[in-house]
Amino acid sequence: MWEGSWSMKIDNANVEPRSAEVTRRRALGVGVGLGLSGWVALRAPFSVGQEPAVDAAKTPAAPTSPLVAIVGGDVHTVTQGIVRNATVLLKDGKIIGLGQGLEVPAGAEIVDAKGKVITPGFVSLNLSGTGISGSPAAGSRLEDSLNPFDNNLRFALGVGITTGCAQLSAGGGPGGRRRSEDRFLGLEADEVLAELTERQDDLDYGRPVSLCPCCGLPALIFEPIEETPPTPITTRNHAVIKLSYGHLDGMLVKADAFYDVTPGSLSGALNQHNWRRQIKAAREYLQKLAEYEKTVQALKEGQERPRPPAKGTVTDGLIALVKGEVRLRTRAETLSEIRSQVALAKELDYRLCLDGVTEGWLAIPELSESGAGTVLTPRSRRDARRGEEDRSGSFVEMPLLFEGRGIPFAVAPLAASVSLNGLAGRDLTSLPLEAAFLVRGGASQSKALEALTIVPARLLGLADRVGSLEVGKDADLLILDGPPLDYRTYVETAFVNGQRVYDREDNPVWPVFPRPH
Amino acid sequence: MRQDKISGNSVHAVHAVNRLAVKTGPRRRLLVGGICGLVLWASGPWSSASLGALVQDKAAEAAVASDKQLPSGPVTAYVGATVRTGGPAGTLQNATLLVADGRVWQVGVDVEIPADARLVDWSGKTVLPGIVDPYYVDSSLRPGSGSSGRRVINVGGRTIEIPGDGSAAESGELLRVRDLWNPNPDQTQVAMRSGVTTLHWVTSGYGLSLFSSSHLVSEGGTIKGLEEAWGERVFTAASPNAASLEIIRRGISGQANRAGSATAAAPPAGGPGRGRRPPRLEDDESGADMSTENRSEEVVGEWASDDLTDAEFQQEGSEGASGGGSAGGAAATSPADGLWEKVRAGELPVLINANSAAAILHVLKIVKPAEKAKVLLVANATDLYQVRDALVGSRVHVIVRPRLEKVSNSAIRFNVGRELSARSIPFSFSLSANQADFQQSQDTPLFPVATLVKTGLDADRAVQALTLHPAQALGIDKWVGSLEANKQANLLVFDRDPLTDVGRLEQVHVGGKLVYENR
């Protein structure tokens, strides 16, 4: 799955020593570009599964706009290598041409990007308090709550985020919201459960081992559990939005990109039992629906239509999950949480997207086999458990291990919102910085850039629209004044849906001053 | 009001006003009669008893009385002033203004003054038409302000009251200024002292407006000066949320405009993650009372019991069935429905107060398909500046506070009037948009406008934005809005030109009467 050779090639092309070279590089932009240039045609290094084409046709295209030609930049396409000194043509919100020496049609607006770096707009899987006003109630028109003039959009655009997955509601499970903060004798509740399950080989996840709902202590339930119909899990609703500052059209991309649940919803034997029943019910419903449709098609004139199958407690989200249209997204930090989710996903046959995955370096084989997508935050740390220092807690080189085994990873910053904490490099605006920490943990530059672009796009089911620069994809791209993962790099211009939505000079949200280099 | 004085033969106007009288109902005849009196400056002896006999004429046009026709009452001639007419005549130097029977009779430079006219020398003064405030907000016009916005929902047989946030747009409750208004002559004094002579009363939220003069007189227990014959206009508020936008969407499209249920949001796009059932194929005759039962989409979290989802199911089933026919049964008609119909036909405007730049974009998107609808967009200048290019060609008329404002998130000031003019976006000013400003600058009420003129807005355009354009936008320019023959003699007298200098407001005349003098 993983091919080291091409990654080296990219690295050689990609890594620009950022020292006194910079000015020279800028001066010689064209020459260097021509020298190193050429399509480094590559295929996608891993597949996060075949994503169904979603909403591409339904989404309103940006209004007819003049053709824009971005000329002379080094284009990091992400999926097709780097094209030096390239021309990118944008029209009506799409990329209509990309390559060297393209003829620029007359009348096009020309953007000079000589010596600049061009990348796809970054995709953030977490977005909070940005672009959506208030907390729209479930069931209301989501597009009515969009706020294309939210100033936070400009902060986010200023670090290169052009697409984001905004969380709209908290969600919760029927079994209460047990969080890992619930501690028992100095151990986290889930770790207690993990110890019970991991140390006694004869206990499997399906056994009635759970925490007492009243006191939170681990309890072995000996009495038979009464059969009650499983209550549907309340999912966290998402909206995928483009950060199209000032433009309402084309801002909302899709309503729900994940079946997102809190970890508590699927932990504990009772919850897992209910979860299995729900998945089963959803599959049965789909089967009945298929049979019903077959029957209806075979109907002759005048024959009475049968009743369609009842959905019962099966939700649309559940159906999308079972059909493979969306992934189940949940937070799984510890080894036991990761194993539990991976095992459930394997057993019930759905796809996963795991947040956190702090102890994922201990579950490499399972994660690799499961095809789960992961969302890493390299700077989030977790202490090792006493006595298990070698097999618990966080590990700085996890990105290296993930990359080596082809486990797809996106990157998320320490917080999902724009805040003053950004001064300390912790909020949403530190997203590219977080990706640089992937490199510190052993990931290649190209993989770190993928973690900002195509991987989250695939996890969202939007790889056909965003996440890389290819002809036909959405014209969401950044003009950077340096390599994308360098902490000194600023976004100079951001295009979303082919429209120039951010210019560093016009938007004093980030300081504009000459750097002495 | 002055029926005794009216004589003549201008039946047309009587007919026009009488048509309004029929609409407003017989109990307002007397008052309408008063307005007839205002409209007809050249009429014969006339009483409410003869009203029926007058309803014969086919023409509904306003009195197109000739300038040469003599008025019945005494004529006052104001001479020597600079007159900013607000109308096509523009600004006239050393002009003569003839006023009779409460209306403007003639205005011009070489107007012949009748021998018996009372002469008033206004040399050195500048005269403006009375200001028309198209968005005069009285936020105290709210029924039981403590409970506003509360919603009662029905969940599985239980009724639960959800406290609102106080915004009527959220609750979708229709407020009628006519019913809430406290007719106290004192409360319009502020407006009058600022030179605002015509008020278009609105309140926050969603409702129907009311017109009045700023000169209200209490006579024998009734209030004179209420312009009920001018009708009501729909106003509403827009912010980036489904509840407020749905009111506009339904009104503009004319679909399922159910009173009091505007919070019931339209079905979502149908993405995964929302448990919704398809409508049943069979008609569900559960007889759900649609007028009181809210859509259970609003119910979240713990209440999502099985009972509830069943209720939702039935609700949706019955709605689906009633979509084509009239099975809805309890489809209550609201007093707003008729007005919305006229809005869709382009006969009456709708006022939409957009609270943010995003809200403006939402509104523009919603009203775009309604090609006939006249939309008066109330917004602040900073927001307008952000969407200035989207406003071009959008057909909306903007109502804004006249002031030099700052570009969002910056210290740069801009002239909203000039920006709008440059893009040919029609606009009016609302002086009362900031009450504090409005009350503090009563000696020189047009100072904020003068700053706009100093920084590039055409002075005559500024006068029109204060007078003629709001009157035209609201459809009351037949009566007010400029100093032209036959219109109400609402005059403002300044000691110097208030648009190019710091002009003090010295006198306010309403209906030809001096009603305020600034000493």
Side-chain angles (χ1 to χ4, degrees):
Chain A
M1 261 186 137
W2 170 256
E3 289 145 309
S5 56
W6 71 261
S7 92
M8 291 310 293
K9 222 188 273 175
I10 285 231
D11 285 353
N12 291 340
N14 191 359
V15 181
E16 290 277 353
R18 184 77 201 232
S19 56
E21 290 260 19
V22 174
T23 39
R24 189 158 56 87
R25 180 171 62 81
R26 283 187 174 162
L28 301 175
V30 188
V32 173
L34 287 172
L36 295 177
S37 66
W39 282 90
V40 190
L42 297 162
R43 63 185 175 85
F46 63 82
S47 158
V48 190
Q50 283 300 312
E51 307 289 352
V54 209
D55 286 2
K58 273 187 247 165
T59 311
T64 306
S65 50
L67 198 138
V68 177
I70 302 168
V71 181
D74 295 347
V75 178
H76 293 235
T77 65
V78 175
T79 48
Q80 296 173 330
I82 298 172
V83 189
R84 300 274 183 189
N85 190 20
T87 300
V88 190
L89 302 177
L90 317 177
K91 171 106 176 120
D92 295 342
K94 298 281 177 192
I95 299 170
I96 60 161
L98 194 161
Q100 285 180 327
L102 291 187
E103 195 182 321
V104 176
E109 181 198 337
I110 294 175
V111 180
D112 181 17
K114 279 203 176 59
K116 311 279 190 213
V117 175
I118 294 168
T119 66
F122 302 150
V123 181
S124 175
L125 288 176
N126 295 308
L127 206 62
S128 164
T130 304
I132 293 178
S133 67
S135 38
S140 68
R141 273 176 192 262
L142 193 54
E143 58 267 40
D144 281 352
S145 299
L146 298 174
N147 181 359
F149 290 99
D150 186 350
N151 206 33
N152 283 348
L153 291 176
R154 300 202 299 172
F155 281 103
L157 283 167
V159 299
I161 301 169
T162 57
T163 303
C165 182
Q167 208 174 72
L168 304 175
S169 59
R177 297 180 190 174
R178 273 185 232 103
R179 301 228 173 84
S180 49
E181 287 88 23
D182 304 339
R183 296 184 83 86
F184 172 63
L185 295 178
L187 290 174
E188 292 185 359
D190 291 328
E191 290 167 2
V192 176
L193 182 62
E195 300 206 343
L196 276 169
T197 51
E198 279 166 22
R199 291 192 178 158
Q200 300 181 23
D201 292 337
D202 56 340
L203 278 176
D204 65 33
Y205 299 118
R207 295 287 293 274
V209 177
S210 184
L211 302 181
C212 171
C214 337
C215 56
L217 295 175
L220 289 170
I221 299 165
F222 296 104
E223 289 181 22
I225 301 160
E226 269 188 49
E227 283 290 304
T228 48
T231 321
I233 293 173
T234 311
T235 54
R236 289 194 273 202
N237 291 325
H238 293 278
V240 182
I241 57 167
K242 291 280 190 85
L243 277 65
S244 55
Y245 185 82
H247 302 275
L248 194 55
D249 286 333
M251 188 172 176
L252 183 64
V253 181
K254 63 198 275 191
D256 281 292
F258 293 110
Y259 189 83
D260 188 340
V261 296
T262 54
S265 306
L266 300 184
S267 75
L270 186 59
N271 285 343
Q272 293 192 357
H273 174 67
N274 281 338
W275 179 234
R276 287 189 178 89
R277 287 178 60 194
Q278 284 183 45
I279 293 284
K280 196 177 157 209
R283 291 199 192 284
E284 280 171 5
Y285 169 75
L286 282 180
Q287 202 176 349
K288 279 184 197 159
L289 192 68
E291 282 166 17
Y292 163 76
E293 277 163 5
K294 214 186 267 176
T295 322
V296 168
Q297 275 191 349
L299 276 185
K300 287 173 190 141
E301 279 290 314
Q303 271 184 315
E304 201 186 335
R305 285 166 76 92
R307 282 176 80 96
K311 260 190 185 172
T313 56
V314 176
T315 62
D316 288 348
L318 208 51
I319 290 171
L321 178 71
V322 166
K323 279 182 169 171
E325 290 168 4
V326 297
R327 285 167 183 262
L328 182 128
R329 184 177 181 190
T330 190
R331 179 156 280 277
E333 297 280 359
T334 64
L335 181 57
S336 64
E337 284 171 339
I338 296 167
R339 281 187 174 150
S340 163
Q341 293 297 347
V342 167
L344 267 178
K346 188 179 177 187
E347 176 196 333
L348 301 173
D349 190 24
Y350 53 77
R351 298 185 305 155
L352 272 182
C353 172
L354 296 178
D355 279 301
V357 216
T358 323
E359 290 185 355
W361 57 283
L362 296 158
I364 298 286
E366 295 97 315
L367 282 171
S368 171
E369 187 205 353
S370 71
T374 60
V375 187
L376 308 184
T377 305
R379 282 187 293 165
S380 99
R381 309 307 304 270
R382 186 185 182 87
D383 290 340
R385 286 186 291 276
R386 214 177 308 152
E388 292 178 89
E389 283 80 1
D390 57 338
R391 49 196 178 91
S392 63
S394 52
F395 179 49
V396 70
E397 287 187 20
M398 189 162 74
L400 176 74
L401 299 174
F402 274 35
E403 182 170 331
R405 287 296 292 269
I407 300 169
F409 52 87
V411 65
L414 289 156
S417 56
V418 177
S419 73
L420 276 181
N421 294 335
L423 293 174
R426 301 180 72 83
D427 75 341
L428 180 65
T429 61
S430 66
L431 180 68
L433 198 59
E434 206 64 47
F437 274 89
L438 289 173
V439 180
R440 188 180 176 86
S444 63
Q445 303 248 355
S446 60
K447 277 288 162 195
L449 186 57
E450 284 180 15
L452 283 170
T453 53
I454 191 70
V455 175
R458 284 177 186 144
L459 293 174
L460 289 169
L462 290 170
D464 56 331
R465 289 188 55 188
V466 298
S468 67
L469 297 180
E470 293 170 55
V471 171
K473 279 197 162 190
D474 290 7
D476 297 358
L477 55 85
L478 313 172
I479 301 178
L480 307 172
D481 65 351
L485 299 174
D486 193 296
Y487 63 94
R488 286 164 296 188
T489 296
Y490 274 116
V491 176
E492 301 223 318
T493 305
F495 285 86
V496 172
N497 291 333
Q499 273 151 332
R500 195 190 270 251
V501 291
Y502 175 84
D503 259 311
R504 189 172 156 229
E505 286 189 2
D506 301 342
N507 290 264
V509 293
W510 296 107
V512 178
F513 53 85
R515 213 196 300 270
H517 290 299
Chain B
M1 196 180 278
R2 40 183 78 194
Q3 291 171 6
D4 49 328
K5 286 186 187 170
I6 293 170
S7 60
N9 49 13
S10 189
V11 181
H12 305 273
V14 174
H15 180 57
V17 176
N18 196 43
R19 272 163 41 109
L20 291 164
V22 170
K23 277 177 201 159
T24 49
R27 83 186 160 78
R28 297 205 177 83
R29 281 275 166 86
L30 204 66
L31 193 123
V32 172
I35 286 145
C36 291
L38 291 170
V39 172
L40 303 175
W41 63 270
S43 315
W46 185 93
S47 73
S48 55
S50 66
L51 206 66
L54 290 168
V55 190
Q56 297 165 2
D57 204 297
K58 58 186 188 302
E61 290 293 306
V64 195
S66 143
D67 285 359
K68 306 294 171 243
Q69 218 166 353
L70 281 173
S72 62
V75 177
T76 309
Y78 299 103
V79 295
T82 300
V83 177
R84 291 192 176 273
T85 62
T91 302
L92 308 171
Q93 304 291 339
N94 193 15
T96 301
L97 183 64
L98 300 184
V99 172
D101 299 333
R103 353 230 91 228
V104 176
W105 178 31
Q106 291 180 53
V107 59
V109 180
D110 44 6
V111 169
E112 192 185 325
I113 301 170
D116 58 346
R118 186 169 67 95
L119 265 178
V120 180
D121 182 17
W122 272 353
S123 303
K125 312 285 185 201
T126 299
V127 177
L128 260 67
I131 294 166
V132 178
D133 197 318
Y135 200 76
Y136 195 80
V137 183
D138 186 345
S139 47
S140 70
L141 295 180
R142 311 198 54 85
S145 52
S147 67
S148 65
R150 272 177 184 274
R151 289 179 294 167
V152 176
I153 62 164
N154 196 325
V155 182
R158 289 174 296 166
T159 22
I160 296 171
E161 198 177 13
I162 302 175
D165 62 357
S167 150
E170 297 294 326
S171 71
E173 175 191 10
L174 183 79
L175 303 168
R176 232 173 160 178
V177 176
R178 170 197 289 183
D179 300 336
L180 305 167
W181 197 58
N182 172 26
N184 176 2
D186 293 340
Q187 66 174 335
T188 55
Q189 290 293 314
V190 175
M192 196 198 289
R193 286 196 294 266
S194 295
V196 178
T197 55
T198 304
L199 306 175
H200 182 229
W201 293 84
V202 297
T203 182
S204 51
Y206 172 43
L208 306 181
S209 67
L210 180 79
F211 288 101
S212 92
S213 158
S214 64
H215 177 56
L216 296 178
V217 186
S218 182
E219 256 180 41
T222 56
I223 296 288
K224 302 281 176 68
L226 241 177
E227 312 282 15
E228 279 202 77
W230 296 357
E232 294 174 300
R233 307 287 182 269
V234 192
F235 62 86
T236 187
S239 46
N241 61 51
S244 68
L245 296 177
E246 201 59 24
I247 292 173
I248 304 166
R249 193 173 282 124
R250 283 166 192 243
I252 287 284
S253 70
Q255 286 165 5
N257 202 13
R258 281 182 294 154
S261 65
T263 43
R274 295 199 179 98
R276 290 175 54 84
R277 302 178 182 187
R280 267 185 198 160
L281 290 180
E282 293 84 6
D283 188 4
D284 198 318
E285 293 178 356
S286 61
D289 184 4
M290 291 179 45
S291 63
T292 56
E293 190 170 346
N294 270 276
R295 300 275 294 271
S296 43
E297 281 162 15
E298 293 168 24
V299 181
V300 289
E302 292 87 332
W303 299 332
S305 67
D306 274 355
D307 292 5
L308 176 67
T309 44
D310 260 344
E312 179 184 356
F313 194 1
Q314 291 176 5
Q315 178 79 15
E316 288 191 9
S318 55
E319 270 190 21
S322 69
S326 59
T333 51
S334 143
D337 290 348
L339 289 177
W340 276 116
E341 213 167 281
K342 289 188 173 170
V343 168
R344 293 192 288 276
E347 292 167 21
L348 286 182
V350 55
L351 290 94
I352 303 174
N353 183 1
N355 77 343
S356 62
I360 298 175
L361 283 196
H362 282 289
V363 169
L364 293 181
K365 197 172 176 181
I366 291 170
V367 304
K368 197 175 180 186
E371 295 195 347
K372 281 187 189 164
K374 283 197 282 185
V375 176
L376 311 190
L377 183 75
V378 186
N380 80 47
T382 304
D383 294 341
L384 287 168
Y385 187 80
Q386 285 188 285
V387 299
R388 58 196 185 280
D389 293 328
L391 285 168
V392 175
S394 66
R395 303 186 314 271
V396 301
H397 180 107
V398 168
I399 296 174
V400 67
R401 166 189 178 193
R403 225 178 89 127
L404 285 176
E405 299 278 5
K406 282 179 186 165
V407 174
S408 172
N409 296 306
S410 102
I412 300 164
R413 286 194 189 272
F414 69 98
N415 181 333
V416 62
R418 198 177 65 182
E419 296 289 339
L420 293 170
S421 295
R423 290 172 176 76
S424 307
I425 300 161
F427 67 95
S428 299
F429 288 137
S430 171
L431 270 193
S432 66
N434 182 309
Q435 281 287 331
D437 243 25
F438 185 50
Q439 299 189 11
Q440 279 166 17
S441 61
Q442 299 205 335
D443 192 45
T444 54
L446 293 188
F447 183 73
V449 183
T451 61
L452 297 182
V453 171
K454 277 279 182 204
T455 53
L457 175 63
D458 178 67
D460 280 332
R461 182 75 188 75
V463 173
Q464 290 183 333
L466 288 163
T467 56
L468 185 63
H469 290 171
Q472 284 172 340
L474 292 166
I476 55 170
D477 54 318
K478 199 162 78 181
W479 297 286
V480 293
S482 60
L483 296 178
E484 290 176 77
N486 293 329
K487 292 198 183 183
Q488 284 183 14
N490 297 345
L491 315 174
L492 311 180
V493 184
F494 289 86
D495 65 345
R496 62 189 79 173
D497 188 355
L499 294 157
T500 55
D501 205 338
V502 186
R504 287 186 67 226
L505 177 63
E506 292 189 330
Q507 290 182 3
V508 176
H509 296 244
V510 172
K513 260 190 199 164
L514 175 64
V515 294
Y516 169 69
E517 205 162 7
N518 180 20
R519 291 173 201 279

